[in-house]
């Protein structure tokens, strides 16, 4: 514990159901017990320094600062109000430090509240997720809390409504059934504002079953979809046996339509070209690292695995100096020192310092 600041003052106690009590010579202290943990303590100097009150600071409006030195500060404590006339010489300093400590207290308090709220939200989310996991085999999720339906405004009790799989928005079953019965579109979306999530057929059939409604009411959506498809140009049934789906060809894309074989051939060419580019990049990297080389005679790719630095091309039979990546001899062939790597020709000088006997 530490005393952050203190001031002489005059205090008037105003209990709710009794007369005012005046303390004419007092000391008010601001005490700190921990980070964000403050209390105000007042003692009566005329009565052997007896304690008038100790008040922990626990809320925002507990201490009210007076606008002028002639007006009292107000401190609200349960069932009592204390008026404090601070000494004019220490009043400003007391107010300054008290404001700073209150600000720190409020930040700590707000952080604690926010942390607690986050923890509660995380726990609720975890509980909801665990509960939803147990409902994976059900046609739809059940609501875990009561809610007011956005359509009929009725309060739907726990487990009496539906949470949509794709957005987890709650909705009333009878209202959803009415949407199915009156829909002019083959697909129904979540009715919540700005939500574009689709309601699955499994959910629709589950609600129809719960409300003991003929499944034909859901089947009519498929009929709407078929009529919609048949009414459009460039539509045709999928040719796969037992498949009820449709193909749509948009007018602006009709001229670009290709057959499956053409498409597959184009994809194969694209894949082969990609593989060629990859092989070329790998080859260039190996040449750069001198792992392979072009034959100086016929330009085929040559790779040296081991042995000395003299190699011979298997195709054009030219003799090659591996370290210099060029021909071993001059244009006249074996023994011609007018060209090639000229290893050991000039006073025994090697073609490269680390030559491994290319002659």
């Amino acid at each position: 514990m530490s005393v952050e600041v203190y001031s002489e003052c005059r205090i008037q106690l105003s209990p709710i159901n009794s007369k005012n009590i005046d303390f004419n010579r007092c000391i008010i202290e601001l005490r700190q017990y921990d980070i964000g943990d403050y209390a105000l303590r007042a003692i009566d100097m005329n009565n052997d320094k007896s304690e008038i009150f100790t008040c922990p600071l626990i809320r925002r409006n507990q201490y009210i600062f007076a606008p002028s030195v002639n007006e009292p500060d107000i401190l609200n404590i349960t069932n009592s109000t204390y008026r404090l006339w601070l000494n004019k010489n220490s009043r400003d300093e007391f107010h300054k430090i008290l404001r700073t400590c209150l600000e720190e207290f409020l930040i700590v308090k707000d952080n604690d509240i926010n942390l607690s709220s986050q923890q509660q939200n995380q726990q609720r989310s975890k509980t909801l997720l665990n509960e939803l996991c147990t409902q994976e085999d059900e046609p739809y999720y059940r609501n875990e809390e009561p809610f007011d339906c956005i359509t009929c405004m009725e309060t739907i009790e726990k487990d009496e409504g539906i949470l949509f799989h794709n957005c987890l928005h709650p909705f009333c079953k009878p209202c959803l059934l009415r949407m199915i019965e009156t829909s002019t579109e083959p697909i129904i979306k979540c009715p919540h504002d700005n939500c574009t999530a689709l309601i699955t057929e499994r959910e629709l059939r589950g609600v129809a079953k719960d409300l003991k409604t003929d499944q034909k009411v859901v089947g009519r959506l498929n009929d709407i979809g078929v009529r919609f498809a048949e009414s459009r140009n460039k539509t045709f049934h999928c040719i796969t046996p037992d498949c009820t789906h449709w193909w749509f060809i948009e007018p602006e894309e009709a001229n670009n339509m290709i057959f499956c074989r053409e498409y597959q051939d184009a994809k194969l060419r694209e894949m082969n070209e990609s593989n060629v580019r990859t092989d070329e990049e790998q080859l260039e990297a190996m040449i750069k690292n001198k792992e392979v080389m072009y034959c100086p005679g016929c330009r085929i790719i040559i790779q040296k695995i081991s042995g000395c630095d003299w190699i011979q091309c298997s195709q054009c039979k030219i003799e090659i100096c591996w370290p210099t990546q060029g021909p071993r001899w001059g244009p006249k062939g074996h023994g011609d020192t007018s060209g090639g790597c000229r290893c050991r020709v000039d006073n025994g000088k090697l073609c490269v310092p680390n030559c491994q006997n290319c002659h």
Side-chain angles (χ1 to χ4, degrees), residues 237-252:
H237 283 284
C238 176
I239 62 175
T240 303
D242 302 322
C243 180
T244 59
H245 288 194
W246 286 73
W247 285 93
F248 296 86
I249 304 175
E250 297 295 342
E252 61 271 18

Side-chain angles (χ1 to χ4, degrees), residues 183-314:
S183 176
T184 59
E185 298 290 335
I187 297 175
I188 297 180
K189 296 181 179 179
C190 171
H192 283 257
D193 290 342
N194 301 321
C195 183
T196 59
L198 302 181
I199 306 174
T200 66
E201 182 176 343
R202 186 184 180 200
E203 291 172 296
L204 301 178
R205 292 194 179 279
V207 169
K209 181 179 179 181
D210 285 353
L211 299 181
K212 303 185 185 315
T213 302
D214 195 324
Q215 291 294 321
K216 290 182 179 180
V217 72
V218 179
R220 67 179 288 275
L221 298 179
N222 291 330
D223 296 338
I224 293 174
V226 171
R227 290 197 299 272
F228 174 74
E230 290 175 338
S231 67
R232 300 190 61 184
N233 294 325
K234 304 297 184 179
T235 61
F236 58 91
H237 283 284
C238 176
I239 62 175
T240 303
D242 302 322
C243 180
T244 59
H245 288 194
W246 286 73
W247 285 93
F248 296 86
I249 304 175
E250 297 295 342
E252 61 271 18
E253 298 179 359
N255 294 332
N256 297 324
M257 185 177 66
I258 60 174
F259 292 102
C260 180
R261 175 59 62 84
E262 294 174 317
Y263 174 79
Q264 295 297 337
D265 289 345
K267 292 295 289 185
L268 183 60
R269 285 195 301 272
E270 180 182 345
M271 183 174 63
N272 289 338
E273 290 172 359
S274 176
N275 291 338
V276 168
R277 285 194 298 271
T278 301
D279 292 342
E280 289 177 348
E281 291 170 358
Q282 292 176 345
L283 177 59
E284 292 300 325
M286 293 178 70
I287 292 174
K288 184 177 180 180
N289 295 330
K290 294 190 175 182
E291 298 175 14
V292 299
M293 63 172 285
Y294 288 109
C295 171
C298 63
R299 303 300 292 173
I300 68 168
I301 299 297
I302 297 177
Q303 183 177 23
K304 174 176 167 295
I305 304 299
S306 61
C308 72
D309 288 336
W310 177 91
I311 57 175
Q312 187 176 41
C313 175
S314 61

Side-chain angles (χ1 to χ4, degrees), residues 138-150:
E138 301 294 328
Y140 55 80
Y141 294 142
R142 298 184 300 275
N143 59 304
E144 292 300 307
E145 297 178 350
F147 67 91
D148 291 337
C149 175
I150 62 171

Side-chain angles (χ1 to χ4, degrees), residues 304 307-311 320-325 328 341-345 348-359:
K304 174 176 167 295
C308 72
D309 288 336
W310 177 91
I311 57 175
I320 300 170
C321 174
W322 179 261
T324 62
Q325 304 277 290
R328 171 68 181 91
C341 69
R342 298 180 57 80
C343 188
R344 299 184 186 274
V345 172
K349 182 180 178 182
L350 299 175
C351 57
V352 292
N354 59 347
C355 174
Q356 299 183 48
N357 193 17
C358 63
H359 56 81

Side-chain angles (χ1 to χ4, degrees), residues 3 69 74 86 132 158 185 208 264 266 278 295 302 304 346:
V3 177
V69 69
I74 305 295
L86 301 181
L132 294 180
K158 177 182 177 182
E185 298 290 335
Q264 295 297 337
T278 301
C295 171
I302 297 177
K304 174 176 167 295
D346 299 323

